[in-house]
Amino acid sequence: MTPYDAFVSYSHAKDKPIAAALQSVIQRLGKPWYRRRALRVFRDDTSLSATPHLWPSIEAALDQSRYFILLAAPEAAASKWVNREVAHWLDHNSVDTLLIALTDGELGWDEATGDFAARAPTLRAVDELLRSLH
């Protein structure tokens, strides 16, 4: 059994309140009265302690998660940490386990190719990561 049902990746500067609310809602979703939470969610603010070995701790959490939830926004696309987390996830997991929640900006879809389109320059980094799947 994996310790986490989901790993939430987001920009701290932009989406910290959204990430906290999402974690809270997911953990209560379908929760039986006798359990503390229905699902276990990794969010760095609540799941990590201060450590000089931050990336290995994040990597371990990624490797022990069933799903990856990306809170996509221009700030997330510009974050080296978010890009590193997405890249690690896609190197080790199926794209079917990547969930994208757009919190700001524009994530384009190209009907002709059936793929994400890099229409919005602010989300180009996320678009490029998604395109690298093919």
Side-chain angles (χ1 to χ4, degrees), residues 15-16 30 79 87 110 126:
D15 289 327
K16 191 173 186 174
S79 166
D110 185 338
V126 172

Side-chain angles (χ1 to χ4, degrees), residues 5-116:
D5 294 292
F7 181 103
V8 179
S9 181
Y10 62 99
S11 162
H12 283 240
K14 166 83 174 75
D15 289 327
K16 191 173 186 174
I18 294 172
L22 178 65
Q23 179 184 20
S24 177
V25 168
I26 290 172
Q27 289 177 335
R28 288 192 321 256
L29 189 69
K31 181 186 92 55
W33 66 269
Y34 55 86
R35 290 183 60 192
R36 183 170 175 213
R37 63 180 66 96
L39 300 170
R40 294 202 58 214
V41 177
F42 179 91
R43 186 172 63 86
D44 54 3
D45 271 0
T46 58
S47 304
L48 283 180
S49 56
T51 173
H53 307 290
L54 186 59
W55 179 247
S57 299
I58 290 172
E59 239 178 354
L62 284 163
D63 293 341
Q64 297 171 5
S65 297
R66 290 179 44 213
Y67 290 93
F68 185 94
I69 302 171
L70 171 63
L71 299 184
E75 293 83 357
S79 166
K80 76 172 189 166
W81 287 102
V82 170
N83 282 286
R84 197 169 177 188
E85 291 164 358
V86 171
H88 180 88
W89 186 264
L90 295 176
D91 284 346
H92 297 91
N93 298 280
S94 166
V95 68
D96 296 334
T97 60
L98 172 69
L99 308 170
I100 302 171
L102 187 64
T103 62
D104 193 16
E106 182 179 321
L107 189 60
W109 182 260
D110 185 338
E111 289 293 334
T113 63
D115 200 354
F116 290 97

